[in-house]
Each structure stands twice: as C-alpha cells, then as structure tokens.
Amino acid sequence: GCPRQQTGKIHFILLFSRQGKLRLQKWYTTLPEKEKKKITREIVQIILARNQKTSSFVDWKDLKLVYKRYASLYFCCAIEDQDNELLTLEVVHRYVELLDRYFGNVCELDIIFNFEKAYFILDEFIMGGEVQETSKKSAVKAMEDSDMLQETVEEYMNKPAF
Amino acid sequence: MALTIVSQIFPREMIPAVLPLIEDKLQHSKEIIRRKAVQALYKFYLIAPNQVQHIHDKFRKALCDRDVGVMAASLHIYLQMVKEDSSGYKDLTGSFVTILKQVVGGKLPIDFNYHSVPAPWLQIQLLRILGLLGKDDPRTSELMYDVLDESLRRAEINHNITYAILFECVQTIYTIHPKSELLEKAAKCIGKFVLSSKINLKYLGLKALTYVIQQDPNLALQHQMTIIECLDHPDPIIKRETLELLYRITNGQNVIVIVQKMLDYLKQSKEEYTIISLAGKVAELAEKYAPDNEWFIQTMNAVFSVGGDVVHPDIPNNFLRLLAEGFDDGKEDEQLRLYAVQSYLALLEEEDAFYPQKFLQVMSWVLGEYSSLVTDVDPEIILTRLHRLLKKTFVTAETKAWIMAAVTKIASRTTSSKTVDKLIREFSTSLDTCMRQYAFELKHLCEDKVLMKSLFPFDASCNDIVVDASLSFLDGFVAEVLGHGAAPYKPHHQRQEEKLSQEKALNFEPYGLSFASSMSSSGFTGRQSPTGLSFGSDTSGNSAETGHKETNSLKLDGVKKLWGKEGYLPKKENKIGKEDEALTVPRGSLLAGHVADPPVSQSDQVATFSEEEKEKQQLASTLFVGLGSNAGVSLMGKADMAVQKFKRKSKINETQNTEETPDIQNSAALALGPLLDTLPSNKEGHEGNEHTRLRKASLDSSDTTEDNLAFEKPQSLKKPGLDNRLLDSRLSSSSLFADSNIEIFHPSPSAQCESASKTLLAPSLPGELAELPHSEVVELCQSDDLALHLCKVWTDDSLLLTMFVSNKNTSALNDVNLVFEKAEHFQILESPAYQFSVIEAQSVEHCQQCVQMDKICTQGNLPGSINYQSGMETHLEFSITLSLLDFIRPMEMTTEDFGKLWLSLANDVKQNLKMSSSQDSFSAALNTLQQKLKLHIVDIIGNEGILACQLLPSVPCLLHCRIHAGMLALWFRSPCSALPDSLLYQCQKVMEES
C-alpha cells in the first residue's frame, strides 16, 4: 500500500527510578528486544546525568527526549522533532494525575506492585503514541469497569473449585 | 477490551474479516465502545488506507457524535487524512472551527478540563488540522481568524498547558494565509516565550522563532540580544536550537560569524547524530555563501576534520564535484583548486597528524588531479608525502586505493621519480593483494609513458566517457560465428520462457491452455532488452544505427552544458551588485551597520555598557547584519537572490532539454510540411500572432479534411478567420491527420473557438477530441477576467487534460501562463507550463497536457496555477482531482495470453464482495465492471470470468472473478503491488453503487 508516514507521535515511554532501575516501558515503534535494552540504558544514563537546572528536553539522535521527575521516578517520552515538547510534558503530567487518582496518592511501590494497572491506564490514555482519552473521569471509570470484569472472572474461576 | 487489542496489534491481512464487526460497533449505545471502534478504524486507516475508504461517511458521523470522546477520537483520523490531502476536506473547515469555538468557550463537560483549561489536547488537534487546511488558502483561512484570535486571548493563565496551546496557535497563525493583526499578536506571544526565565519556555520560544523567522526575519532583530545569550547557554539543546535559528537567517554577510559559531559547537559535541546534521548544514552554508576561496577551503577542511567519517557521503562528493566542474569563471576555479592543493600540502606536512579517512580521500583526490597547478613545489615532495601516508597503519584499504590513484596520476605527469620506483618496489611484495595489484599496474604504466599520459589527461574528471553500449565492435565476430552456423544468442528471459512452454504438459493452471501460438511473437520481442535500448548485435546494420543514436545523444549533452552555464550567468552579475551594496555597510564597525533599528537605540547607551556587553553587541551586529529594515521585509526572498557562489550547475535544465530536443527531431522526422514551423515555435517563442494563426490553421485544415460538422460552432467563426482557414488548408498537406495520430497534437495544442455571443463562453472540445471518450467540461477557477475549464479526454494511450481559458473581458489578455506544479502521484509529460501569448477578447483558447500516474493512488490532486496581466499581475490557483480510473484502459488479449501473463505476475489480492440484489446475474456484474472500470472481459467460463486492464502507460492488471453463493470472489494480479489494492477499492465502490 501507500508508504505510512509517522506523524507527531510518541515513540516510547520509559519510567525509571533515580537509581536507574526501569519500572515501566511502553514502545510504540517496533524494535528488537536487544535494541530496546541498549536504548534504555543509554537514555537512563543521559537523563540521570543532567542536573536540575537544565531544561526538560534533550536531543537524542533524531528524536527529542522529554522527561520529568516526580519524587524518585523519572518519566521520559521520546517524541519527534516537530512535536510540541511542552504538550508532551503535560501528557506525562496527566498520566501521573491519572495514576494518582486511580491509586490514591500514588508512589513508586504502587507502580512496582500493580504494574499491570499502570499499563492499563497508559493504554487507556495513550494509544499508538497519541493521546486518546483526555477526560480524567472516563479514563478512571474505564479502569474501574475493567477491574470489575476482572474480579467477576476470578469469582467465576473460583466457583468450580468448591 | 477486544477493541483495544485490535487497535494495538493487528495484521493487515485480517482487516477485511473484522471490518464489518467494527463498523457495527460505531452505532453502539455506549460511548466508550464507539470511541474504541473509531480508534480501531484509525489504526486500520494507518495500516491500509484503501480498505477503509468506503466508510468515510461514518467518520463524519463520528465527528458529530454527541460524546466528546468519540469526536476527539475521530479527529485523529482527520488529522491524518488532512495531512495527506488537505484539499479534500476544505468543506469541513466550518465544523472544525465551530468545535474549536465551543471548546475554547468552555462548552465541554467539566471533566475534560485540565488545570481549568478546557480540553487542551482537543484544542491542539484542531489547531493542527486548521493549520493544514488553511495553508496557502486565503478563503479557508478567512474562516479561522476569529477563532484563532479567541484562542490567543483565552490562553492567558500561566500554566504550561496554555503555553503549549499558545505555541500551537502561533504555529498555525504563521502557517495559514497571513493576517497582519494576528501576526502581530503571535509575535508578541513569541516575545513572551523567549524572554521567559523558565528554560523550557525559552526553548519553545526559540523553536517558534525558528519557525516564524522564515516568514518575518525582522522578529529576529527584536530578540537579538536574547539569541546571543542563548548561544552561550549551558544547556546544549538551547544552544542547538539557537544555531538552527541562525542557520535560517544566514546570508552572505553574516556567514563567517555564524559558521564559526557552528563549528565551535561542532567541535564540542560528541554525539554522532548532531555532528552529521550540523556538518551538513555548515557545508551547505559554506557552499552557498562563501565570501572567498580561502575561507571556503578552510571551512570545508574544518568540517572534514571535525566531522570525521560520520559525515554524510554527499558532502565530500559534492565538494569534489564542485572543484572538478568548477563554475563559469575559469580563473577563479584555478585559484580555488590551487588554494586547496596548497592547504592540503600544508596539512600533510605534519608528521604525525591524524585525519579522518574521508578527509584523506578528498586530499588525495585533489592532489592527484590538481597538484600540477602548484608550480613551486616539486612533485617529488608531494609523492613523498603520499608515500608516507600509505605506510601509516590507521589508513584503511579504501583510502589506500585513493592514494594510489593519486600517485598514479601524479606519476603520469613526471618523467621519472625515485619515490614512485621505491613505492613500486615496496608494494610489489605487499601482503595486501589489492596494493600489489596497484603497484604492478603502476609499474607497467610507468614503462609506457605515452599511454599513461593519454590514460590520465589533465583535468578531465568531468568529461564524459563514451561507452559503446551496443558493443558494436564485437559485431564482426558475431557475424562470423553466425556464418559458421552457430545459434543466435538468446537472452536469459527468452530461454526461460521456452523452458516454461516445454513444461506445459505439467501445468495445471486453469488458463494455461497453450503457449505455442505466442511463440513467434515472443521470439521477436525477446531481442528487445528491458532497458529499451536495442542491444541487437545479430546484424551489423542494426548496431550501426544504435551507435548513431548514441553519438547523437552525446552531442546533445554538450549543448546542454552550455545552456546550464548561460542560465547561471545572470546570477553572477547579481552577486557583484550585491557585494557593492554590502560594502556600503561597514561590516566590522561597531553597531554602525543599522540605521533604523534597535541596535541604534542601544548604541546611544553604549557608554554605560560593560566591556562584556559591548562584545555581545558587536557579535549581534555581525550576526544580524543584512537583516535590518534596509534589507527589506523578506529575508527569504533576499537570501534566494543572494548569490549561491558555488551553485551547482542546474541539472534540471539539462534534462528538460533532452526531452525537448528529441521532440523537435521527431516532429521533423514526420515531415509535416507547413505544420513543422508551428511545432518548435512553441518553444522558440516566435511572434505570438503568427504562431496562433498557424496553429489554428493546422487544426482547421484537418477539420476541413474530415468533416466540418465536427466543429460545434463553425458558423460563429469570424469571416477573416474563415478566409484564413481556406488559405491555410490549401497550404497544409492534405493527409496530415488522416491517420488520426493524436500525438501530433500535444506539442502544438490549441485551436480557437470564437464565439460571437457575448455572455456565453462555453468551451467545447475541438473535433478530433470530441469523438474520443471524454468527461464533462468543469470549471476549475475563475476571476473577473477569465475562467478556466477542464475536460478530461481518455485516449487509448494517455490521459489528456484539455484546459480551456476563456477571456471574459472586452479586451485581449496578454501573457497568460498556465503552470502545473509537481504533484506527488502524477507526472506531466512534456513541459508543465504553457503560455498563451494573447487571448482575444471574449474568446476561448485551449491547450492539452498529457498526464501519467507516477505513484498509484485511488485519487490524487494535481495542483497548478494560472497567472496573467490585466492592469496588474493576477494569480489564480486550481487543483485537478484525478482518479485511478482516469488512467485505466481495457487491455485486449486472448485467453492463452491471459493464462501466461497470470503465471508471471507476483502480486495478488483476493477479496469477497457481497452481490446486491440488482446484480442478479453474473454477467450483469461483469458488465458493470466492464463499463465502470473500463476492464476488458477476456472470457467467461461458467461461473468464472477473467478480465484484464492496464494502467497507463503499460502496467497490466488481471482479474479473475468467480461467483459463489451470492458472493463475488475477486482475485487480482499485477506486477505492481499497489495496483490491485487500489483497483479492488474501485470495484467495491462500483459494486456498492450499482
């Protein structure tokens, strides 16, 4: 078919701690596992090396990294050059808000132990590298709905055991 | 949940199966499901746009959905679609503007707010779409001014997200057709950004400035001090963005300072990507604006040594080509080369210097070619230096080959050299086989100096080497062997075909009935090489002919080069004028450069500035020289005018010439008698009147020979016109158009339809074309003075766009230019521009353009413009929508041929279509396809049918259909992968409609 042009989307999102431990990763471009690992290591190093006073944007290859630190966690997005960096920063912030609302005062441990929920929220919010659901309420509601579903399935599974 | 997954991982092949299910979900009662369905469709659109094309209406419904989430999701699709083709969605501008108005006005549910800003993401999506829609389109832009103004005003709260929206707003404002009030406001916004103490905002401000500066360079002047500060900013990203900005405002006067800044940054940076892009930019600037030779060479040296081996290969290649081809002034060439040689010799003098491989390669090439220009250096010294390089361990094998080539060239120009002898001795025993090979070659060449001299002529690097592609020198040999009874040579594909036909007994394909009948013809075509150049060497007469052709085209080459240079000359003069101008602005003198701009007002306070600030001021004045108000508003215009000192010779000119010249030759060969004069006159620009009259004559005469009735309004022709016609028809040879060769028309388009009535200027096709299948005449654009109409004519071998220009005025219009722009999917054969030197009052002129589809798409736009003089220069734009079907023609063939072709085609696409009740019979369905898609029905066997068509000029596409339980199974095959997809889509559309 026609050549697909990639347009102003997020390439990947990484969450890592101040110690450089990767907490969550989401890739919107297809790359081999090895490559991903290499990139992650590289980026974590670049960002941890930056001091507090510099801007939240870094050039990296032909992409731009937009990062922000929340407590002990770094949230980092890679976007294309013509994208709006400030907006991406707010995307990150919105995601943190969503997490906060769902978990209630979110902390790093929440994400470590409930990583699948964090992923669900991210999926609800961003799809294919683009922001989809901007209403906080409906995103969280969707999450709660799927939680209900999950629990009923568990109940169902448990029943025949008796 | 399933829908989420669908849109995340989904293979292209499965889309047709799932599509109907998802389409149903668009009507689901729950918002979230509708939203997810839209998202899934968006993904499908990204993967395979053709397959979801038929549900565009549903996207429109989604856009008007009562739930904001669904509407927002559909915006993604629209952004993508508008990006691909903005003209198709202009009618939606109104809706987008209304939505944005509602959003900005806070009409959305409160939970879409983000930090009390209503739905920022939605706003930004809309702004982007509007920007794309309004680009270069004043009428559409008109609709958005209000809402953009509103957005700018509303976004006042100090929060990041509002800044993000502002940034997007500014970008949109500068993208669409400009309106001064808005521009002013946007400029103010940028000012806020740039001056902000927050580093993120500053960066964004710079980015916006970089974008804006292309339209209005004066903004850079307002912020020059900030820019200077940013240059020394500790954060590299700010620094880089600043350099990017400077790169955009570079001109002949500030190039030295800017390039110096860029090189400084280049030296510090370690990241490969940065180096590549920055080195490329420096090289580009150096090439464009270099003030003198020394500086240019020095800069390029710096680029090569800093950039190292990561620089883009184009940079050294372009540099060398520049040196080799030179520009129009031979003396300056010489100096440039001389200086290059000198600087390289100096660089190589140092014993242990390390240079990147690419730099060494450049050096050795230059030394090899031009070292003899330096008269005061003994070639022996150069050879010693090169020899020393060869022994270095860091030099790679590739570079060694470059160096050896240089040594050989130099050796050819010296009588005998100890170093060369030594070198030959050393490397004849080298372990590296390549080096040994070079050494032996060199040795043998040295023994025959005369041969060597002729092999390596001085400064011949740009001369084309004549290659006898037909290998005619072997013909004698071939003829002799044939004479002794040897079988003639068969090309590979022919042998394979024969092999295939021998295996026919094993072939179980339904249509592979027999190949024998086509054998004779394939034997004939087999001799044609795929490139179209005849390699036939079986008869010497044949190859003599091709040889002749070869030399012909080479001669033309020579002519073209001259043309290129001539076209270049005026620019050179331009430069001199401009340098004079530049001299009047004292470059170095502090601040004196500008007369009416901020620096002056600052210069009043200069006494209070500290030393450091003075320095910055000075830097500013050098950086922004030439940007002041005296430099005019449009820097870009000026930059374009500014001399490209090392401008490459325009190749486009040359290629155009090649296309034109054979054209004239062809027509000459046709010996069209009196008509001959009219054909080239088109290009050579004869007197306009005579020109049109002659052309008219050519057409009219053909009319008389065929039938006067073909002309729709012959009686309305004026009397003098009639006289002319009679006279001319006698002049022109009678059988001109007897064989109805339409191609003759293309170079000499137009006939004159003069309508007596004042109000009606209805264009109609001239006789010959009216008989061919054609579309209705549609209006493309119009102004007070003229109207442009289009009629598509589908000839057997091309799509002819017949453009009618009607003059609505009571006076004649002069110099009406019709220009087609380059379109992504289409290609205009012949030249894309056409000029009517004069269009009489109240009359219609027309011309034809032959179009081909370059890249396959189901529908595309061919933009163009028309401009003319009437009091003032007027410019009208139009866009022609062309569909794939315009380029599809039936392809006649036999069932056997079909079977054979079917097997040889690689790309296939299958799809089942539901038959509607009206297509009760199979043959009715096939007939629909035949009529609507111009397919040729090859054969119908029971409930199966085979059809064939071709995409012009000659890409076949075969279709096999089978009817089965109310479903029509379509199976396409074609050598081109995109064609079946697009055709399938057309089939779907046709079947749905009927």
Side-chain angles (χ1 to χ4, degrees), chain A residues 55 64 81 83 90 133, chain B residues 35 114 168 203 207 235 273:
Chain A
S55 68
K64 272 208 180 86
D81 194 43
D83 254 348
E90 293 316 296
E133 182 55 78
Chain B
R35 183 164 59 80
Y114 174 85
E168 216 58 51
Y203 169 73
K207 201 173 158 183
D235 195 342
Y273 182 80

Side-chain angles (χ1 to χ4, degrees), chain B residues 436-638:
Chain B
R436 201 149 26 149
Q437 169 83 15
Y438 290 132
F440 276 119
E441 278 170 16
L442 184 56
K443 190 178 165 194
H444 287 289
L445 281 173
C446 280
E447 282 160 13
D448 188 352
K449 280 281 171 189
V450 183
L451 173 68
M452 195 164 178
K453 276 227 165 80
S454 65
L455 268 181
F456 299 105
F458 175 65
D459 194 16
S461 52
C462 338
N463 299 355
D464 293 312
I465 295 169
V466 183
V467 178
D468 185 358
S470 66
L471 303 178
S472 57
F473 55 87
L474 285 177
D475 282 349
F477 174 73
V478 173
E480 194 184 316
V481 178
L482 280 176
H484 285 104
Y489 173 72
K490 285 176 190 161
H492 177 69
H493 58 96
Q494 194 190 341
R495 273 176 281 164
Q496 235 178 10
E497 260 170 38
E498 281 174 17
K499 217 170 126 197
L500 242 170
S501 64
Q502 277 158 14
E503 287 167 356
K504 68 179 174 187
L506 293 171
N507 188 3
F508 291 106
E509 283 292 323
Y511 308 114
L513 297 176
S514 155
F515 295 105
S517 63
S518 58
M519 266 305 296
S520 60
S521 67
S522 79
F524 189 74
T525 50
R527 231 153 258 149
Q528 300 279 329
S529 87
T531 51
L533 231 176
S534 157
F535 279 79
S537 44
D538 43 0
T539 58
S540 53
N542 193 355
S543 76
E545 200 181 88
T546 50
H548 179 69
K549 251 189 212 161
E550 202 71 35
T551 47
N552 237 354
S553 64
L554 272 173
K555 247 190 254 161
L556 290 174
D557 260 45
V559 177
K560 274 174 274 145
K561 289 237 157 134
L562 267 175
W563 260 77
K565 275 188 181 165
E566 259 171 12
Y568 179 64
L569 266 173
K571 286 204 168 174
K572 190 73 190 169
E573 282 160 15
N574 231 343
K575 177 197 164 123
I576 297 163
K578 213 198 141 202
E579 267 186 348
D580 286 344
E581 195 185 289
L583 279 177
T584 58
V585 182
R587 205 182 295 174
S589 72
L590 224 182
L591 300 175
H594 297 289
V595 195
D597 264 90
V600 176
S601 59
Q602 284 165 345
S603 76
D604 294 333
Q605 315 158 4
V606 88
T608 59
F609 284 156
S610 66
E611 198 56 21
E612 188 190 348
E613 292 224 295
K614 253 191 209 165
E615 251 172 47
K616 281 189 178 171
Q617 290 280 356
Q618 187 163 6
L619 181 59
S621 72
T622 47
L623 272 179
F624 297 97
V625 68
L627 281 182
S629 57
N630 51 346
V633 188
S634 75
L635 173 84
M636 288 323 278
K638 202 180 163 194

Side-chain angles (χ1 to χ4, degrees), chain B residues 152 163 166 170 173-174 180-196 209 212 216 219 222-223:
Chain B
L152 274 185
Y163 288 120
L166 276 181
V170 168
I173 288 172
Y174 273 92
S180 55
E181 273 171 59
L182 274 182
L183 289 184
E184 229 169 80
K185 280 184 190 166
K188 245 185 233 161
C189 260
I190 296 178
K192 258 194 261 170
F193 275 131
V194 177
L195 296 174
S196 162
L209 207 51
V212 161
D216 183 9
L219 267 180
Q222 288 169 23
H223 299 295

Side-chain angles (χ1 to χ4, degrees), chain B residues 749-796:
Chain B
S750 93
Q752 219 164 332
C753 293
E754 287 174 26
S755 153
S757 76
K758 267 195 170 182
T759 46
L760 190 70
L761 280 166
S764 63
L765 281 172
E768 284 78 14
L769 296 175
E771 285 169 10
L772 293 165
H774 58 85
S775 70
E776 280 173 24
V777 178
V778 285
E779 184 188 301
L780 286 177
C781 63
Q782 82 166 308
S783 69
D784 294 340
D785 305 307
L786 59 71
L788 188 65
H789 288 84
L790 162 80
C791 178
K792 297 180 193 169
V793 180
W794 299 294
T795 69
D796 287 343

Side-chain angles (χ1 to χ4, degrees), chain B residues 39 107 288 721 832 926:
Chain B
Q39 280 164 12
K107 303 255 165 60
K288 255 195 202 160
L926 287 189

Side-chain angles (χ1 to χ4, degrees), chain B residues 70-362:
Chain B
V70 183
M71 188 264 286
S74 74
L75 284 183
H76 286 286
I77 301 179
Y78 277 106
L79 181 59
Q80 186 65 29
M81 294 197 296
V82 169
K83 225 173 234 175
E84 278 162 15
D85 168 28
S86 66
S87 59
Y89 302 95
K90 300 269 187 209
D91 57 319
L92 283 174
T93 315
S95 331
F96 290 131
V97 169
T98 325
I99 297 173
L100 185 57
K101 251 184 204 145
Q102 285 173 356
V103 175
V104 175
K107 303 255 165 60
L108 291 192
I110 203 94
D111 58 325
F112 279 93
N113 282 12
Y114 174 85
H115 292 266
S116 67
V117 178
W121 282 276
L122 207 62
Q123 283 195 41
I124 281 167
Q125 285 276 358
L126 285 164
L127 283 172
R128 283 184 185 159
I129 293 177
L130 289 182
L132 288 168
L133 282 174
K135 198 175 181 194
D136 303 324
D137 184 351
R139 222 183 306 161
T140 321
S141 301
E142 199 76 42
L143 297 169
M144 358 180 147
Y145 290 145
D146 277 348
V147 74
L148 286 176
D149 191 29
E150 177 91 7
S151 308
L152 274 185
R153 237 172 344 100
R154 292 266 178 168
E156 271 166 354
I157 315 149
N158 283 335
H159 189 271
N160 269 347
I161 195 77
T162 59
Y163 288 120
I165 295 173
L166 276 181
F167 175 76
E168 216 58 51
C169 245
V170 168
Q171 241 179 3
T172 307
I173 288 172
Y174 273 92
T175 316
I176 62 173
H177 193 82
K179 187 189 179 197
S180 55
E181 273 171 59
L182 274 182
L183 289 184
E184 229 169 80
K185 280 184 190 166
K188 245 185 233 161
C189 260
I190 296 178
K192 258 194 261 170
F193 275 131
V194 177
L195 296 174
S196 162
S197 57
K198 280 187 196 151
I199 193 158
N200 289 349
L201 290 186
K202 203 180 212 84
Y203 169 73
L204 225 62
L206 283 175
K207 201 173 158 183
L209 207 51
T210 314
Y211 184 77
V212 161
I213 228 144
Q214 293 165 42
Q215 263 109 35
D216 183 9
N218 279 325
L219 267 180
L221 280 172
Q222 288 169 23
H223 299 295
Q224 50 178 319
M225 287 322 283
T226 328
I227 295 172
I228 302 292
E229 269 160 31
C230 290
L231 260 184
D232 297 324
H233 204 277
D235 195 342
I237 196 165
I238 298 237
K239 234 174 172 175
R240 230 189 86 183
E241 198 56 46
T242 316
L243 287 177
E244 180 74 38
L245 194 153
L246 290 178
Y247 165 71
R248 300 273 168 94
I249 60 164
T250 310
N251 58 27
Q253 296 160 57
N254 56 17
V255 63
I256 299 183
V257 197
I258 290 181
V259 166
Q260 191 51 47
K261 286 277 163 203
M262 287 168 102
L263 284 176
D264 287 346
Y265 184 80
L266 199 56
K267 278 170 194 153
Q268 290 166 12
S269 79
K270 287 176 205 73
E271 216 211 350
E272 196 173 292
Y273 182 80
T274 326
I275 293 176
I276 294 172
S277 73
L278 211 56
K281 278 173 187 159
V282 173
E284 189 195 321
L285 289 181
E287 218 173 88
K288 255 195 202 160
Y289 303 112
D292 56 52
N293 291 331
E294 274 106 286
W295 183 86
F296 178 62
I297 298 287
Q298 294 290 3
T299 309
M300 291 311 282
N301 285 353
V303 169
F304 287 132
S305 50
V306 177
D309 291 324
V310 294
V311 293
H312 201 269
D314 277 356
I315 297 176
N317 290 349
N318 281 342
F319 175 66
L320 290 184
R321 200 170 76 198
L322 225 145
L323 279 180
E325 286 182 353
F327 16 105
D328 34 281
D329 187 358
K331 215 167 158 195
E332 206 158 320
D333 284 354
E334 207 97 312
Q335 275 180 349
L336 182 67
R337 291 169 189 165
L338 187 72
Y339 189 77
V341 172
Q342 282 168 345
S343 76
Y344 294 153
L345 280 178
L347 284 173
L348 287 180
E349 208 165 2
E350 287 171 52
E351 272 286 345
D352 293 313
F354 173 84
Y355 298 110
Q357 305 297 326
K358 278 201 180 129
F359 194 20
L360 285 177
Q361 288 165 11
V362 168

Side-chain angles (χ1 to χ4, degrees), chain B residues 50 53 792 794 799 825-826 851-861 881-889 932-935 949-952 955 957 972 976 978-987 989:
Chain B
N50 288 338
Q53 250 162 349
K792 297 180 193 169
W794 299 294
L799 171 68
H825 301 285
F826 307 105
V851 187
Q852 271 188 2
M853 189 173 248
D854 243 7
K855 258 167 67 187
I856 291 173
C857 62
T858 50
Q859 206 167 58
N861 281 316
T881 310
L882 297 174
S883 132
L884 177 73
L885 290 184
D886 289 330
F887 300 93
I888 295 285
R889 298 286 178 278
K932 298 266 176 67
L933 298 182
K934 298 181 207 149
L935 303 178
C949 68
Q950 58 179 336
L951 174 70
L952 292 173
V955 184
C957 184
F972 290 90
C976 165
L979 188 55
D981 263 346
S982 317
L983 262 182
L984 173 62
Y985 165 63
Q986 299 285 4
C987 277
K989 223 167 72 176

Side-chain angles (χ1 to χ4, degrees), chain A residues 1-9 26 28 42 46 50 53-65 67-68 70 79-95 97 101 120 123-139 141-143 145-146 149, chain B residues 1 3-4 7-8 12 30 32 35-36 39-40 42-43 46-47 49-50 69 72-73 76 79-80 83-84 111-115 119-122 124-125 128 159-161 163-165 167-168 171 193 199-201 203-204 207 234-238 240-241 265 271 273-274 824-825 855-857 977-978 981:
Chain A
C2 295
R4 210 197 315 167
Q5 44 178 180
Q6 306 216 315
T7 45
K9 61 171 213 173
K26 185 88 192 168
Y28 299 106
E42 202 181 316
I46 291 175
R50 286 173 68 85
K53 273 189 191 148
T54 52
S55 68
S56 313
F57 318 126
V58 193
D59 279 314
W60 178 75
K61 297 207 174 151
D62 55 339
L63 300 177
K64 272 208 180 86
L65 302 177
Y67 69 93
K68 195 162 183 186
Y70 289 90
I79 56 168
E80 275 161 36
D81 194 43
Q82 68 270 23
D83 254 348
N84 189 333
E85 291 85 1
L86 220 48
L87 187 68
T88 317
L89 212 55
E90 293 316 296
V91 169
V92 170
H93 189 72
R94 184 28 66 96
Y95 179 51
E97 279 183 0
R101 174 141 178 181
F120 283 155
D123 283 347
E124 205 60 41
F125 180 45
I126 297 171
M127 181 170 292
E130 281 161 276
V131 177
Q132 298 292 350
E133 182 55 78
T134 55
S135 154
K136 212 197 294 193
K137 204 167 91 191
S138 55
K141 191 167 173 298
M143 278 304 302
D145 285 353
S146 63
L149 203 67
Chain B
M1 199 65 187
L3 285 169
T4 315
S7 48
Q8 286 199 20
R12 184 196 160 113
K30 271 199 174 160
I32 186 162
R35 183 164 59 80
K36 290 267 157 104
Q39 280 164 12
Y42 168 57
K43 282 292 143 192
L46 285 182
I47 297 167
N50 288 338
H76 286 286
L79 181 59
Q80 186 65 29
K83 225 173 234 175
E84 278 162 15
D111 58 325
F112 279 93
N113 282 12
Y114 174 85
H115 292 266
W121 282 276
L122 207 62
I124 281 167
Q125 285 276 358
R128 283 184 185 159
H159 189 271
N160 269 347
I161 195 77
Y163 288 120
I165 295 173
F167 175 76
E168 216 58 51
Q171 241 179 3
F193 275 131
I199 193 158
N200 289 349
L201 290 186
Y203 169 73
L204 225 62
K207 201 173 158 183
D235 195 342
I237 196 165
I238 298 237
R240 230 189 86 183
E241 198 56 46
Y265 184 80
E271 216 211 350
Y273 182 80
T274 326
E824 192 190 350
H825 301 285
K855 258 167 67 187
I856 291 173
C857 62
S977 62
D981 263 346

